[in-house]
Amino acid sequence: MWVCRALCRARAPAQLGQRLLPESSWRRPAAAPFSASAEPSRVRALVYGHHGDPAKVVDFMDDPLCSSPLGNYGLLPQLPAVGGNEGVGQVIAVGSSVTGVKPGDWVIPANPGLGTWRTEAVFGEEELITVPSDIPLQSAATLSVNPCTAYRVLMDFERLRPGDSVIQNASNSAVGQAVIQIAAALGLRTINVLRDRPDLQKLTDRLKNLGADHVVTEEELRKPEMRSFFKDVPQPRLALNCVGGKSATELLRHLAPGGTMVTYGGMAKQPVIASVSQLIFKDLKLRGFWLSQWKKDHSPDQFKELILTLCALIRRGQLTAPACSEVPLQDYPCALEASTQPFVSSKQILTM
């Protein structure tokens, strides 16, 4: 459960970045409106008291049902803290002055650092955004970060028209999967780069089923044969980089003159390197994107509009949740371990 201060009380789920409510938990409670003076109940939560390896610092414990200061992605939260930036919850009670949400509403975090790896919480209504309850639970649980990032990087840096190409690395990531689907809905072609792996054909087929036009490996992208590939496929005007290092260098090499590479992640933990000739003679542009900063620069209503735009794509069947594995909250060590394994394309969703 989650709760919204002033106050509203909501049932919630949790995940390593996203979460999901089990169907059995979605019962509208017949409870009196939540009161701040009521005796706090106890909830189960994944809490960390210091920073480090999640497998070593995260504990499963009781947590008081009360409002608490928020941490922020990009900043260190006050410790101890409840983990989790994403998820979907159901409001089960509200205070008398709450007008933005009502019992039964589905809600997602308005900002990062909400601490969603817990069964119940108390939040101010301004900390939550209502989402339609007619979309799949997994889509709602994974909505507030990755699809938003995908939509904004496609829309904010180049004026792309149907038929234009976009190239991206980390194409099997949650953002990458959303980019494929949103681009297809916009009539854009995607060139999707993957690391070579044992299940490459299976993953390639899955991405093409999502709408990917082309799937190539990092090794194939470096080969001279790619020149003939771009005789039949328009050179991309937009590159999306979530890796850095040599992978980012290859994206830049294949960008059309005047094109833009947007970096939104750094999985390789290596710098982005651009040659002088690329900047001078091809006039390539290097940009960065951080959703938290975008939200600081835009109003809450603009973020809500973005969420509703994505919900419309979901309803039309043009945007689905990334591949997910549901893990009961008490089995969180399994989810933590799976999230650190190489070549794992499935999001770990904690259910409760």
Side-chain angles (χ1 to χ4, degrees), residues 153-155 158-166 179-191 211-213 237-238:
V153 296
L154 284 170
M155 299 297 291
E158 287 284 339
R159 291 187 177 181
L160 301 174
R161 297 185 176 89
D164 286 345
S165 293
V166 176
V179 163
I180 289 169
Q181 296 175 84
I182 296 170
L186 296 172
L188 305 174
R189 307 183 190 186
T190 54
I191 304 163
D213 295 281
R237 294 173 48 201
L238 179 66

Side-chain angles (χ1 to χ4, degrees), residues 249-286:
T249 299
E250 287 302 312
L251 296 187
L252 281 171
R253 193 163 68 88
H254 294 291
L255 262 183
T260 301
M261 183 173 78
V262 181
T263 294
Y264 66 92
M267 293 167 53
K269 298 181 180 179
Q270 296 174 356
V272 172
I273 299 175
S275 69
V276 172
S277 62
Q278 288 174 326
L279 298 177
I280 295 177
F281 303 119
K282 291 186 68 176
D283 190 26
L284 300 184
K285 299 179 286 293
L286 304 181

